[in-house]
Amino acid sequence: MLTVAVLISGTGSNLRALLEAARHPDYPARVVVVGADREAAGLAHPEDFGIPSFLVPYERFDSREAWGEELHRQLSAWRPDLVVLSGLMRLLPPAVVAAWSPRLINTHPAFLPEFPGAHGVRDALAAGVAQTGASVIVVDDGVDSGPILAQERVAVLPGDDIASLHERIKPVERRLLIDVVRRIATGELDLEDIH
Ligand code: GRF
């Protein structure tokens, strides 16, 4: 059984999808802890599922590195097999990436390498593209630049705004994430082999 830690900053809808998938007895992974860098609304989900959570409030630390050290300490206590960033709106310090990657994956609401960064949905809309997408990648030291584990195109429709496009992307992200975690858990996807 693959043990998974999930880090969030927002509503955690992707986290909730993973929690619901992990309810099925034949799903080979389970979320053992949820962490957040702020009082995220998504912390309600581990509460609902009786799963522990921790908070490492970014603004309480005087540097990204100090925040990262505490985050690493909290994560290490749970010894997860995999760490999933799902709406964590924070770049991890290199020391944290080095400690966890490639067992450290991220979901992104664009068809990487298109539109990396914190505003992938906004940037796709601004670019006027007819389609964008969703991606699941291994986290490296760059910004959404790691090896791609799964991705799928999502149409941009006339009249879309950031919210409507993002809500169309998220179900695709969730499906990709749930499938990638399952493939990692079964060994079908070997993160050590990914480059
Ligand atoms: C997701 O689209 C994720 O890829 C991006 O932020 C969004 C988080 O949504 N980084 P939620 O918090 O899972 O609802």
Side-chain angles (χ1 to χ4, degrees), residues 48-131:
D48 291 348
F49 281 74
I51 287 171
S53 60
F54 63 79
L55 186 53
V56 185
Y58 189 80
E59 74 279 352
R60 293 239 191 98
F61 294 81
D62 54 18
S63 72
R64 181 184 301 274
E65 287 65 31
W67 171 77
E69 277 170 30
E70 177 57 19
L71 180 68
H72 175 64
R73 199 180 64 75
Q74 294 272 355
L75 275 175
S76 302
W78 295 92
R79 302 170 66 81
D81 299 318
L82 177 69
V83 179
V84 174
L85 308 185
S86 188
L88 183 74
M89 301 310 284
R90 196 77 65 185
L91 278 183
L92 297 176
V96 177
V97 175
W100 293 94
S101 195
R103 299 176 302 120
L104 175 63
I105 67 174
N106 182 27
T107 60
H108 184 73
F111 199 85
L112 291 170
E114 299 166 3
F115 312 119
H119 305 289
V121 179
R122 182 199 70 187
D123 298 345
L125 269 182
V129 294
Q131 55 177 5

Side-chain angles (χ1 to χ4, degrees), residues 104-108 110-114 116 133-140 143-153 176 180 183-184 189-191 193-195:
L104 175 63
I105 67 174
N106 182 27
T107 60
H108 184 73
F111 199 85
L112 291 170
E114 299 166 3
S135 305
V136 180
I137 61 170
V138 175
V139 176
D140 67 2
V143 178
D144 298 321
S145 54
I148 294 170
L149 300 175
Q151 59 183 175
E152 187 173 308
R153 283 288 183 189
L176 294 179
V180 164
R183 288 193 288 135
I184 292 168
L189 188 53
D190 180 354
L191 292 174
D193 276 353
I194 302 285
H195 300 289

